[in-house]
């Protein structure tokens, strides 16, 4: 999904409450039925945009350990 730079400057970006004020982190913004995801180190560059349902599925798969690397 493509979003104009102007559209992304008017969204409300959120980042983890565990992130310190000046620490770099991933941040997300809701855009209609999608979420934009970016790195706070490069706020003008959106890394990916996903449908809300796909982002929820991705977060659930992370929390369930689906993407964990095997222990040595």
């Amino acid at each position: 999904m493509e979003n104009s730079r102007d559209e992304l400057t008017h969204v409300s970006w959120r980042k983890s409450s565990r992130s310190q004020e000046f620490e770099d982190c991933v941040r997300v913004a809701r855009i209609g039925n999608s979420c934009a995801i970016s790195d706070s180190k490069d706020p003008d560059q959106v890394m990916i945009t996903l449908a809300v349902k796909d982002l929820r599925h991705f977060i659930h798969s992370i929390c369930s350990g689906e993407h964990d690397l095997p222990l040595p």
Side-chain angles (χ1 to χ4, degrees), residues 19-72:
S19 173
Q20 299 299 321
E21 182 178 351
F22 298 106
E23 284 189 26
D24 299 325
C25 66
V26 172
R27 60 191 194 139
V28 296
R30 181 87 181 251
I31 305 170
N33 292 327
S34 298
C35 289
I37 303 168
S38 75
D39 185 340
S40 65
K41 290 183 299 229
D42 191 3
D44 293 329
Q45 181 67 36
V46 172
M47 295 165 50
I48 191 169
T49 305
L50 295 171
V52 172
K53 66 180 180 72
D54 293 335
L55 179 60
R56 285 185 180 138
H57 176 76
F58 179 60
I59 291 170
H60 175 73
S61 69
I62 290 170
C63 292
S64 69
E66 187 176 324
H67 305 285
D68 289 356
L69 296 174
L71 295 173

Side-chain angles (χ1 to χ4, degrees), residues 8-20:
L8 295 173
T9 60
H10 294 95
V11 298
S12 178
W13 289 98
R14 298 181 66 187
K15 66 178 189 169
S16 171
S17 60
R18 293 184 181 201
S19 173
Q20 299 299 321

